[in-house]
Amino acid sequence: MRLNRILLLLAVLVMTMTAWAEKQTAQLERVTIFTNGAQVVRTKAVSVQAGEQTITFTGMSPYMDTNSLQVKATGRLTVLGVSHRTAQADSASRSQALKKAEQDVEDVVRKIQQLKDERDVISQQNELVKANCSVAGRTVATPLANIKELNNYYAQELLALKKRDQALAEQIAVLDKEQKRKEHTRDSLARQKARYVTEVDVRVTAPQAGRATFRLTYYATNASWYPSYDIASAGTGQPMDLSYKVNIVQNTKEDWMNADVTLSSANPNRSNVAPTLSTYWLDIERPVESYAGSMKGRASLRKEVMMDRMEARPMMVEKPVETEEEVESDIIEVRQQQAQFGYEFHLGHQLSLPSQTKAVTTEIARHQLPATYIYKCYPKKDKEAFLVADATDWQRLNLMKGDASVFFENAYVGKSIVDPSQATDTLHFSLGRDPSISVQRTKVNESSTRRFLGSNQEQTIAWRITVKNTRREAVTLLVYDQVPVSRNDDITVTTEELSGGVCDKQTGIVSWRMTLQPGEQQELLLKYKAKYPKGLTVELE
């Protein structure tokens, strides 16, 4: 009896130690995703035994920054130490799955072989029936009625054997397909790479048995988020609708299911060490004559093309794509706040973010921005006008730099960039070409002349610019052209006619601002004169 008690106690002790040796998977509590990386918080309530023991938590990202790992425990215990390692998460289960897949293939192969053996038996029976039928016909003097009855019997036997053989063949064909599927499963499991995870060992001591809750906090790479925007306008005179979207990349090799997610604009990878200044030595630099400088004075001079120094050109989209009008859906509730370093967006609904390579896009806000619209055209470069929208009152939205898809009058216009760091109080968006504003630039030959004055020559160039509004509403239009700017003392340029335009003497850019009523047309005259020595070649057009 005493021996039985001892054995029973030993069995209970072994079962307790076995249960205690099981690895724990801490539940996901919340995730804070940065523009580079994420902070993960996991918790787990565990039963602890009296005395010293080690509790192992598994299933955490192999991309964990182990320097960031923090383990806190609440309960009657003392944490003695924390260690970590990388392990194969599913080596045992993967091996078991592979073994089962191999067994499935063997079972199907065995069934196919059994059916083939049955077909071999049927084939032998078929030959035997034929032989018996032939022998009976040759050796037995049988009445005609008996012969007919015998032939009918053999015919029925052969037909039954053929049907059975055909049924077996169909079963083998089905099993052949099943074999290929199971072989594919087996081969896929054999090719699978082992999945690695980080495991954390927490060594604790407790004065008595009880419950304790562990909180594990760590930073993991291979996660990020970035903003993108949809910007739409129903037409000139309408405000701009801005849809704020976040794109979450989660490839940490751990799944975040039903997670409380916070998006932070902070970058935890930035150095926290304050910079220092070294001595700023000042010395005289000796000028070095360049080859380009030695070329000054050549007879052939060419003017500098100044159009690249104009205002940034609007984006041009050749063929707008019509988009279907859809009913607006609800957006996820977001609580936004100013954090110590940047902004934070607390998503009001839990998200399930399995580890994958594709980004998950979620809309978090919609805003309306007051906007003004103006057309810009550059007749020297293009015969069409471009519509530009200027949106204001955006500073309150905590926007970040990101790509924007632009829509105008239900048509996709193209891509733009929202960059608050480069904007002042206005964001500029190009809405593409508008063929309803026609622009022509032609040379006025009767006013374009060339003549010689002593050792110099004088050349006059004149351009006529015609703009017309064929839209149903009035438009504001900015027209840009240019006059050449001399950087040589031997060449002088004089502006003779601008038709009320304003000329920037530094760049030579001439601009006209006008309002065109529906169907209205205006003509502008740009005329300038250049004087330079004979023998020089100067391009004025």
Side-chain angles (χ1 to χ4, degrees):
M1 179 67 68
R2 185 176 180 182
L3 179 61
N4 291 337
R5 288 182 179 178
I6 294 174
L7 293 175
L8 179 61
L9 289 174
L10 287 174
V12 172
L13 180 61
V14 169
M15 291 175 63
T16 303
M17 294 178 62
T18 302
W20 181 246
E22 290 181 357
K23 296 178 181 179
Q24 306 291 330
T25 301
Q27 296 176 347
L28 184 65
E29 185 178 286
R30 66 175 182 270
V31 178
T32 300
I33 306 175
F34 303 102
T35 55
N36 186 6
Q39 179 176 280
V40 182
V41 179
R42 292 181 177 274
T43 58
K44 180 68 174 180
V46 178
S47 297
V48 296
Q49 306 298 318
E52 187 174 319
Q53 59 222 267
T54 298
I55 304 173
T56 299
F57 296 93
T58 188
M60 288 165 285
S61 171
Y63 300 116
M64 174 195 297
D65 182 352
T66 54
N67 294 322
S68 69
L69 176 63
Q70 292 182 329
V71 179
K72 295 182 179 180
T74 56
R76 299 199 56 178
L77 53 77
T78 302
V79 177
L80 302 177
V82 177
S83 61
H84 52 79
R85 63 181 178 275
T86 301
Q88 290 188 13
D90 50 3
S91 56
S93 60
R94 178 170 164 268
S95 177
Q96 184 177 0
L98 179 59
K99 185 179 296 184
K100 181 180 182 304
E102 291 173 344
Q103 185 62 48
D104 290 342
V105 173
E106 292 178 4
D107 291 344
V108 174
V109 170
R110 189 181 304 110
K111 290 180 182 179
I112 292 175
Q113 187 58 50
Q114 290 175 352
L115 295 179
K116 288 182 177 179
D117 292 342
E118 287 188 44
R119 292 193 70 188
D120 290 341
V121 172
I122 290 175
S123 178
Q124 294 174 8
Q125 288 178 335
N126 193 34
E127 294 299 324
L128 181 61
V129 170
K130 289 180 179 179
N132 289 338
C133 179
S134 176
V135 170
R138 289 197 310 270
T139 61
V140 179
T142 312
L144 180 59
N146 291 342
I147 293 175
K148 289 182 178 180
E149 182 178 353
L150 188 62
N151 287 338
N152 184 57
Y153 167 77
Y154 285 125
Q156 293 296 328
E157 283 293 315
L158 291 173
L159 182 60
L161 291 173
K162 188 173 183 63
K163 287 182 178 180
R164 176 59 181 161
D165 183 69
Q166 185 176 357
L168 292 173
E170 291 175 354
Q171 293 180 41
I172 291 174
V174 172
L175 289 175
D176 281 338
K177 294 180 180 179
E178 184 178 352
Q179 179 184 352
K180 290 180 180 179
R181 288 196 301 269
K182 292 186 179 298
E183 286 177 344
H184 177 73
T185 301
R186 178 200 61 190
D187 296 342
S188 298
L189 289 172
R191 289 193 300 268
Q192 277 184 0
K193 295 181 180 180
R195 187 172 69 91
Y196 290 90
V197 296
T198 297
E199 294 185 343
V200 177
D201 294 327
V202 183
R203 191 161 57 91
V204 302
T205 182
Q208 62 187 35
R211 298 277 293 178
T213 299
F214 292 83
R215 181 185 300 270
L216 292 88
T217 304
Y218 55 91
Y219 172 85
T221 59
N222 281 28
S224 61
W225 76 278
Y226 59 92
S228 63
Y229 308 92
D230 283 349
I231 298 171
S233 172
T236 58
Q238 299 295 321
M240 301 201 72
D241 296 320
L242 184 144
S243 170
Y244 198 149
K245 297 181 178 181
V246 293
N247 307 272
I248 302 173
V249 178
Q250 205 285 77
N251 193 21
T252 61
K253 303 303 180 185
E254 63 175 17
D255 294 335
W256 299 338
M257 308 308 291
N258 299 320
D260 290 328
V261 177
T262 298
L263 305 177
S264 173
S265 64
N267 183 2
N269 293 315
R270 294 182 64 183
S271 174
N272 292 318
V273 179
T276 59
L277 293 176
S278 58
T279 305
Y280 180 17
W281 299 105
L282 190 64
D283 201 352
I284 298 176
E285 295 185 4
R286 304 296 180 185
V288 179
E289 184 179 1
S290 64
Y291 175 77
S294 65
M295 297 296 290
K296 185 177 180 180
R298 270 199 162 201
S300 178
L301 299 177
R302 295 184 180 274
K303 69 179 180 68
E304 189 81 7
V305 177
M306 302 300 296
M307 285 301 288
D308 290 339
R309 299 177 59 182
M310 284 187 175
E311 297 183 15
R313 298 192 194 105
M315 178 169 33
M316 294 175 284
V317 178
E318 292 292 338
K319 297 180 179 179
V321 179
E322 294 292 337
T323 59
E324 295 182 0
E325 186 175 351
E326 298 179 350
V327 178
E328 284 190 295
S329 60
D330 292 333
I331 61 175
I332 192 169
E333 181 184 350
V334 175
R335 180 165 51 88
Q336 185 178 160
Q337 71 178 28
Q338 177 76 48
Q340 184 177 2
F341 302 103
Y343 300 103
E344 287 186 351
F345 303 92
H346 301 277
L347 305 189
H349 297 280
Q350 292 182 331
L351 293 183
S352 292
L353 300 170
S355 181
Q356 59 184 13
T357 56
K358 294 182 179 180
V360 176
T361 302
T362 301
E363 185 183 24
I364 63 171
R366 293 177 187 151
H367 305 284
Q368 272 197 346
L369 301 177
T372 58
Y373 300 83
I374 192 169
Y375 286 89
K376 295 183 179 182
C377 61
Y378 305 82
K380 185 176 181 179
K381 292 291 186 178
D382 204 290
K383 301 302 182 184
E384 292 182 340
F386 298 84
L387 180 61
V388 178
D390 294 336
T392 57
D393 195 26
W394 60 268
Q395 295 93 334
R396 60 184 173 84
L397 305 180
N398 296 332
L399 303 181
M400 298 172 60
K401 183 176 181 180
D403 291 339
S405 298
V406 184
F407 301 83
F408 182 69
E409 293 182 340
N410 297 323
Y412 173 67
V413 173
K415 287 288 187 180
S416 185
I417 295 178
V418 173
D419 189 358
S421 64
Q422 301 297 323
T424 54
D425 59 344
T426 304
L427 290 175
H428 305 281
F429 300 101
S430 175
L431 302 181
R433 301 168 180 264
D434 190 344
S436 300
I437 310 298
S438 62
V439 184
Q440 294 292 330
R441 184 179 189 264
T442 56
K443 187 175 181 181
V444 184
N445 293 321
E446 60 271 19
S447 299
S448 301
T449 61
R450 183 195 298 268
R451 63 176 181 167
F452 296 95
L453 302 172
S455 60
N456 295 321
Q457 55 181 324
E458 190 177 80
Q459 187 175 355
T460 302
I461 300 293
W463 299 96
R464 179 180 290 110
I465 301 171
T466 305
V467 292
K468 184 176 181 179
N469 175 24
T470 61
R471 295 184 64 88
R472 296 180 179 179
E473 67 274 1
V475 299
T476 301
L477 180 66
L478 280 175
V479 182
Y480 295 96
D481 212 302
Q482 64 183 154
V483 298
V485 178
S486 173
R487 59 180 179 182
N488 188 293
D489 294 338
D490 294 330
I491 304 174
T492 60
V493 178
T494 304
T495 301
E496 295 196 336
E497 177 61 50
L498 294 179
S499 292
V502 178
C503 181
D504 185 331
K505 294 184 178 180
Q506 297 294 323
T507 63
I509 304 301
V510 183
S511 60
W512 295 267
R513 185 185 182 94
M514 65 187 72
T515 299
L516 294 178
Q517 299 300 321
E520 183 180 358
Q521 175 177 302
Q522 284 195 26
E523 289 188 355
L524 307 172
L525 184 63
L526 175 63
K527 187 177 181 181
Y528 52 86
K529 178 174 62 179
K531 183 178 179 181
Y532 51 91
K534 292 179 180 179
L536 294 183
T537 300
V538 178
E539 292 185 3
L540 294 177
E541 302 180 17

